[in-house]
Amino acid sequence: MTALNCRVGDLAVVVKADLHQNIGVIVEILHKRPETAMRVQGGGHQWMVKAAGGAALLHYYFKDDGRTEVRSTGPIPDRCLRPLGPQ
């Protein structure tokens, strides 16, 4: 099993994203996303995160109906995050 970039409680920066608005957003890792939740493109381990400061900064695009939402919390794959500070 590959080591994860982040752990619960970490602050991390979004370094990869389908929507460029998410690059550079600082998030807090809340918990592992349930396996039963809908899939995020690219798969892999996913975290539920909260934008630092609680601002609605995370942009999500839903291909099924074409809507876009801006939220303060949501899922992000571990591969798209880098922790801040020493590990």
Side-chain angles (χ1 to χ4, degrees):
M1 181 174 175
T2 305
L4 297 174
N5 294 320
C6 299
R7 299 178 295 208
V8 171
D10 282 352
L11 286 178
V13 62
V14 179
V15 295
K16 296 179 197 169
D18 291 335
L19 297 176
H20 73 277
Q21 299 95 318
N22 291 331
I23 303 291
V25 173
I26 306 297
V27 297
E28 178 185 355
I29 307 299
L30 299 176
H31 56 82
K32 181 181 178 191
R33 187 168 189 224
E35 299 291 334
T36 58
M38 69 180 189
R39 297 181 59 125
V40 168
Q41 186 173 348
H45 184 91
Q46 297 175 34
W47 296 108
M48 288 300 293
V49 302
K50 176 175 72 172
L57 296 174
L58 299 169
H59 294 76
Y60 291 93
Y61 173 71
F62 299 89
K63 289 183 181 181
D64 57 336
D65 62 6
R67 69 188 157 95
T68 301
E69 289 185 8
V70 181
R71 301 177 176 181
S72 60
T73 62
I76 298 183
D78 183 73
R79 64 184 158 70
C80 296
L81 299 167
R82 291 299 171 269
L84 299 175
Q87 289 296 301

